[in-house]
Amino acid sequence: MASLDDTVTSPHESSRSTGSGQLNRRRMLTVALGGAATVALPAPAWAAADHRPGAIRPPRLTPEDRKVVAQLSAKRALAHLKVLSEDIGPRIGGTDSERRAAHYIAGQLDKLRYDTTLQPFPVADKFLAQLSSPARLPGDLNWQVGASGQAALDTRVTASVVDVGAGTPADYPADVSGKIVLVDYVAAQREQLAATAVAAGAAAVVFLPADLVEPRRASAFSPTLPGSASAPLPIPVVGVAQAQKHRLRALLAAGPLTLTIATTAHRGLTSHNVLAERRGRSGAGGPVVMVSAHYDSVIGAPGANDDGSGTVLCLELARVLKAVPVDATLRFALWGSEEQGLIGSRYYVAQLPQAERDRILAVYQNDMVATSWDPATRYWLLSFTGESNRATDEVSAAARRLGYEPQISPVTQRGASDHQSFQEVGIASANFSWRGEESPALLEPPYHSPEDTIAKNISLERLQVSMELIGCATYATARH
């Protein structure tokens, strides 16, 4: 878009503490093989002046800080997160699930009386599949997987399952005709592995990824079969996540297993950025402070932490900051299709005239701000250039006031989130995230997996601390 007001449409659819020095990341949860998790997330219960879990001392808040932190509620944010990650689930860029999420977010911002718009942009086709079973698959995992665009699409297959391991002809039993085969995925051999399954009369191929080195776990994927582009294979070929792989093999080891694989081609797709602003006292040409996150997720991932957590942080801050006096315009941005390569934020920045870019004082990008993974004890200040700027400076100052200095990283060079789109053109921005102590590359095991759920990957205490840090920093920037 040429400016914030161009090429957009207005959305009217919307549908704890453990020992000293650490946040409480443990939740009581029970997971049965065939059932869902029963989970209790303890809501943070501290007052504005209380010593926070993990802080080295009680806070030294300004009167302005108190206006923000006294109102923030992780429990309220959790209600939005349940809609995004449980009711909607995986939000794949440009598909109906992402569109439903965009309209939900826009509807919430409309209710808060922000000037809310949707900014559309085209994205690539997506090929997805859903696994199910007459015996019901375990409910604590999401069973969306990727489908190959060079195999059978918009089709449904129900059949018994056989595990053929490495997938060479010698690994096949005497008769797999009409059955779904589980095959270990090797990228360099994928076309031959699929062709062997077709020749054996299999009804579908389920590729199982190799396990990654912990704490990393492989994500679901859409297998590419370039040699079959002109003549697609006659059967579905899908790629599952590491967690799904182990569960499928465990189920099969326990007895006969029947699966249904339903593949869908999503073509001609449009993704959306959700933009909402409240004009400050400086007026139409005054400075702008942005708070942002991406609301899409990867295939098969409910995206509770990545990045449902950042999205609901934005919604809760929008609620709290809607009435406080500010000089700068407050702009909230929820990016579409981040997982495909920062497409939404890059589109937004590319359409923004230089005069509009120059108005932006700071962009606070929030990506994965609530993981419950125990080792993620450091709150990282991530700058694409590796240099500090207004965003990192204000969050560092807020951390000092809240008593969190030891848990805050130095400004560290890293891109791979939407702050990069802004820093590439000289706009002050940074990404803020809970990650492992040693490195910002140390992400939680549920990252990009079907296990990125509220039950398995969300700490309301970490979410509350994130909201306080960003809320205090944003208000400090916007009121001057």
Side-chain angles (χ1 to χ4, degrees):
M1 64 179 181
S3 72
L4 189 63
D5 296 321
D6 294 335
T7 64
V8 292
T9 55
S10 181
H12 297 293
E13 294 181 56
S14 63
S15 348
R16 195 176 300 173
S17 304
T18 56
S20 62
Q22 283 205 25
L23 297 177
N24 173 20
R25 279 85 61 194
R26 297 291 186 188
R27 288 95 60 238
M28 299 300 296
L29 75 100
T30 301
V31 181
L33 183 63
T38 301
V39 61
L41 289 182
W46 55 77
D50 288 350
H51 190 150
R52 271 81 169 149
I56 60 169
R57 57 167 173 78
R60 298 166 184 164
L61 301 177
T62 66
E64 290 80 12
D65 291 334
R66 289 174 182 271
K67 291 179 183 178
V68 175
V69 301
Q71 298 183 65
L72 288 168
S73 169
K75 187 174 180 181
R76 188 186 295 268
L78 179 62
H80 296 306
L81 190 55
K82 287 180 177 177
V83 173
L84 294 172
S85 65
E86 295 179 355
D87 296 348
I88 297 175
R91 303 171 297 281
I92 312 306
T95 68
D96 182 64
S97 61
E98 193 200 48
R99 189 177 307 109
R100 288 172 58 203
H103 284 296
Y104 174 79
I105 294 163
Q108 297 305 307
L109 293 165
D110 278 343
K111 290 177 183 177
L112 295 172
R113 300 187 181 279
Y114 281 82
D115 181 8
T116 309
T117 56
L118 293 181
Q119 181 185 39
F121 54 93
V123 292
D125 297 345
K126 306 293 187 304
F127 307 109
L128 306 176
Q130 190 71 33
L131 302 188
S132 60
S133 174
R136 195 168 184 267
L137 293 174
D140 63 305
L141 286 185
N142 188 279
W143 290 97
Q144 183 188 73
V145 301
S148 174
Q150 296 84 42
L153 294 165
D154 298 315
T155 189
R156 185 182 185 90
V157 171
T158 300
S160 59
V161 176
V162 59
D163 189 343
V164 298
T168 69
D171 294 311
Y172 277 72
D175 184 15
V176 298
S177 180
K179 296 180 181 179
I180 294 170
V181 294
L182 307 183
V183 184
D184 291 327
Y185 181 72
V186 179
Q189 302 170 17
R190 61 190 184 274
E191 292 191 272
Q192 183 56 52
L193 292 170
T196 299
V198 171
V205 174
V206 178
F207 275 137
L208 311 178
D211 287 358
L212 301 185
V213 176
E214 287 290 336
R216 293 279 54 77
R217 295 175 188 167
S219 305
F221 61 104
S222 295
T224 56
L225 303 169
S228 303
S230 58
L233 296 183
I235 63 174
V237 177
V238 303
V240 305
Q242 182 173 325
Q244 296 164 332
K245 173 187 80 170
H246 287 291
R247 197 64 63 86
L248 287 172
R249 280 189 159 152
L251 290 168
L252 188 57
L257 175 64
T258 297
L259 281 182
T260 296
I261 300 175
T263 61
T264 306
H266 301 266
R267 303 183 189 276
L269 301 181
T270 299
S271 184
H272 295 85
N273 294 323
V274 184
L275 308 170
E277 73 174 38
R278 171 199 160 201
R279 185 172 294 177
R281 291 177 297 198
S282 297
V288 173
V289 179
M290 294 185 66
V291 184
S292 63
H294 73 88
Y295 69 94
D296 65 313
S297 70
V298 301
I299 297 172
N305 191 44
D306 187 14
D307 187 26
S309 63
T311 299
V312 302
L313 177 150
C314 290
L315 290 177
E316 179 62 2
L317 284 185
R319 182 188 71 82
V320 170
L321 295 175
K322 68 177 180 178
V324 297
V326 289
D327 291 323
T329 290
L330 287 173
R331 185 175 299 161
F332 291 89
L334 289 311
W335 310 118
S337 297
E338 185 267 359
E339 298 290 4
Q340 300 165 52
L342 317 182
I343 296 176
S345 58
R346 281 190 167 140
Y347 182 86
Y348 173 81
V349 171
Q351 301 302 309
L352 208 58
Q354 187 61 49
E356 289 297 309
R357 296 179 183 180
D358 292 341
R359 294 176 60 200
I360 301 174
L361 298 177
V363 181
Y364 296 94
Q365 170 68 18
N366 303 276
D367 199 343
M368 303 168 61
V369 298
T371 181
S372 58
W373 187 46
D374 284 345
T377 55
R378 174 154 287 196
Y379 185 80
W380 287 86
L381 313 184
L382 302 175
S383 165
F384 177 61
T385 64
E387 299 175 355
S388 61
N389 56 48
R390 182 70 180 272
T392 60
D393 289 348
E394 292 284 15
V395 172
S396 293
R400 288 192 294 273
R401 298 195 299 275
L402 284 159
Y404 277 105
E405 295 98 319
Q407 286 187 267
I408 307 302
S409 80
V411 176
T412 301
Q413 185 172 20
R414 190 175 179 89
S417 190
D418 293 298
H419 65 298
Q420 179 175 338
S421 302
F422 291 87
Q423 290 194 274
E424 286 172 340
V425 298
I427 298 172
S429 181
N431 180 40
F432 305 95
S433 180
W434 289 102
R435 305 181 184 209
E437 186 78 19
E438 295 83 4
S439 165
L442 193 56
L443 302 173
E444 70 268 20
Y447 170 70
H448 279 189
S449 86
E451 297 178 294
D452 187 7
T453 63
I454 292 172
K456 295 186 177 184
N457 199 27
I458 292 295
S459 161
L460 291 189
E461 284 187 350
R462 283 213 178 110
L463 178 57
Q464 183 77 23
V465 172
S466 298
M467 293 193 302
E468 291 182 353
L469 290 166
I470 299 300
C472 290
T474 300
Y475 191 28
T477 310
R479 69 175 185 268
H480 296 301

